């Protein structure tokens, strides 16, 4: 009744509510919607781990693959059915995942609101300072706007699952978390967004430490928050770093959450890595934990790049059966780590990022790779496409063989999902009963342009034209 009365006065009540919830889309022209079209069958695709010249028909019911059969060239009578996709020799593979992405800090370098916060030095201290200044200006409107940019560009790339960090502290309080939860709900039918209440700031150092801990624990009681995370290395000394670890492990157990730690972000071989203490602490908590079926992810960990083979084997032995995965973040690590001072001549730049293929293949560790940040002072370069990251890692890791490139795809797909507790496996084998979160590559290029025949070719040179399915539905973004 109130809405009808206001409408006679030229006021759209629902529209004004939407502006409060999602920002004024009419003024920014950045808001988008998406459509879902049910898929029952995908015809004539190439598949991972199958002969490149073979073609397959995939049947889907609900959220799952129900059958995988050799392509039937004699039975295309129903190809005009909207639930049947004729893939025309395209390559089909599992969808992609962001195991580690900062939703609230994305695209600060692309938003006119923060145009005065440009990179001058390109180091870690400056990145922290610029980001802190930006945080002091965060509003729900710009958090939603920039968050939509990241989510929608990710969906277009083929991301159907992500772990998104939302900072909670005395400066922003629940502003970032509110925006993240709003976006999670808005895109729930296009992408699974796992929210991490993240303590980027110290929780045992400085005047806001107590408030920061209290705010995080309050955030963990919110519906839709699945993960708690912290950054021990921002604390003032090693004693308080260990207190940070103790606290976050305890609250993860108390509230039954996944755990995500930004850890050992340095290249100082003389500095004792915190990883040993974290693993010991996780073992001590395991017997009393409420975190059944929950995972622990350790991000950055660049200090570990100076480990010897014996230290790597020792780390694997100490981890034992703990559900621990590492996430390498090459775009951020290579930009942030090892930059020489002007006095050092610049002839040598020591870089460090986790050598993920070696960690998996040689040492039997669980791991993945992620984009971390995009469009900010920590990582100004790169896009929201995890496959472009896998492609870049061919050079970074010198990993160009068939086995290595398939592993790199796994690291931005099913291994990434497994690390954060999503998905149904680590390898790329398609099987009946598997999830129908898929990407069809090289759409519309059959017979006219070069197509990718193998996963190796996809990783070498990722194509732009893609169709994405989430839970058995084609997801299409529609710009207003």
């Amino acid at each position: 009744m109130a809405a009808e009365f206001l409408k006679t006065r030229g006021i759209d009540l629902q529209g004004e509510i939407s502006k409060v919830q999602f920002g004024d889309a009419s003024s920014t022209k950045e808001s988008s919607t998406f459509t879902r079209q049910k898929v029952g069958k995908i015809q004539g695709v190439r598949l991972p781990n199958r002969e490149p010249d073979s073609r397959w028909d995939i049947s889907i019911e609900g959220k799952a693959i129900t059958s995988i059969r050799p392509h039937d060239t004699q039975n295309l009578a129903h190809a005009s059915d909207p639930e049947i996709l004729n893939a025309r020799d395209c390559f089909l593979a599992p969808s992609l995942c962001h195991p580690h992405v900062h939703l609230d800090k994305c695209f600060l370098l692309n938003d006119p609101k923060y145009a005065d916060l440009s990179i001058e030095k390109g180091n870690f201290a400056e990145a922290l300072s610029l980001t802190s200044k930006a945080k002091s200006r965060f509003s729900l409107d710009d958090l939603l706007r920039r968050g939509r940019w990241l989510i929608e560009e990710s969906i277009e790339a083929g991301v159907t699952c992500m772990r998104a960090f939302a900072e909670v502290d005395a400066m922003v309080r629940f502003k970032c978390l509110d925006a993240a939860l709003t976006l999670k709900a808005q895109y729930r039918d296009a992408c699974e967004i796992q929210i991490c209440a993240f303590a980027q700031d110290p929780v045992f150092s400085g005047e806001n430490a107590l408030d920061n801990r209290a705010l995080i624990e309050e955030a963990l009681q919110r519906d839709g928050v699945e993960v708690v995370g912290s950054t021990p290395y921002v604390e003032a000394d090693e004693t308080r770093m260990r207190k940070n670890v103790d606290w976050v492990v305890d609250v993860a157990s108390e509230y039954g959450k996944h755990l995500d730690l930004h850890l050992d972000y340095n290249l100082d071989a003389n500095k004792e890595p915190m990883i040993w203490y974290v693993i010991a602490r996780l073992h001590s908590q395991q017997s009393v934990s409420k975190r059944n079926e929950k995972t622990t992810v350790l991000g950055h960990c660049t200090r570990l790049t100076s480990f010897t083979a014996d230290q790597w084997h020792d780390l694997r032995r100490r981890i034992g059966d703990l559900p621990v995965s590492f996430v390498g973040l090459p775009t951020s690590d290579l930009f942030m780590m090892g930059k020489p001072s002007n006095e050092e001549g610049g002839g040598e730049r020591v870089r460090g990022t986790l050598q993920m293929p070696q960690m998996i293949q040689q040492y039997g560790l669980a791991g993945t790779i992620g984009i971390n940040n995009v469009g900010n002072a920590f990582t100004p370069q790169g896009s929201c496409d995890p496959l472009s990251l896998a492609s870049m890692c061919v050079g970074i890791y010198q990993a160009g063989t068939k086995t290595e490139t398939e592993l790199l795809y796994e690291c931005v797909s099913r291994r990434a999902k497994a690390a954060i507790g999503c998905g149904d496996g680590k390898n790329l084998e398609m099987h009946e009963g598997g999830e129908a979160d898929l990407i069809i590559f090289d759409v519309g290029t059959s017979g006219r342009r070069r197509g990718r025949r193998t996963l190796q070719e996809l990783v070498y040179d990722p194509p732009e034209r893609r169709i994405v399915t989430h839970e058995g539905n084609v997801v299409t973004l529609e710009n207003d």
Side-chain angles (χ1 to χ4, degrees), residues 346-422:
E348 180 178 349
R349 291 182 181 233
V350 178
R351 300 297 182 89
T353 193
L354 290 175
Q355 299 296 307
M356 198 53 63
Q358 184 184 39
M359 289 172 65
I360 294 169
Q361 294 174 313
Q362 186 170 337
Y363 301 113
L365 294 162
T368 179
I369 54 177
I371 66 169
N372 186 34
N373 285 290
V374 59
N376 67 26
F378 292 99
T379 319
Q381 82 287 10
S383 72
C384 296
D385 182 7
L387 190 52
S388 71
L389 174 63
S391 184
M392 184 181 74
C393 285
V394 172
I396 292 174
Y397 300 139
Q398 299 170 310
T401 69
K402 178 179 182 294
T403 299
E404 289 169 333
T405 51
E406 288 175 353
L407 179 58
L408 288 175
Y409 192 98
E410 290 175 6
C411 283
V412 295
S413 181
R414 287 188 170 167
R415 284 182 182 270
K417 295 177 186 179
I420 64 173
C422 300

Side-chain angles (χ1 to χ4, degrees), residues 134-182:
K135 280 176 64 175
S136 69
R137 306 184 202 171
F138 280 178
S139 66
L140 184 60
D141 178 68
D142 88 77
L143 286 163
L144 291 169
R145 179 178 62 251
R146 292 183 291 103
R148 285 194 189 98
W149 292 347
L150 184 146
I151 292 168
E152 294 187 358
E153 290 182 27
S154 298
I155 291 171
E156 288 181 321
V159 172
T160 61
C161 178
M162 69 175 71
R163 173 170 291 178
F165 295 93
E167 295 186 19
V168 176
D169 54 50
M171 179 184 292
V172 294
R173 300 188 68 80
F174 301 117
K175 198 177 296 182
C176 300
L177 184 63
D178 289 340
L181 290 171
T182 297

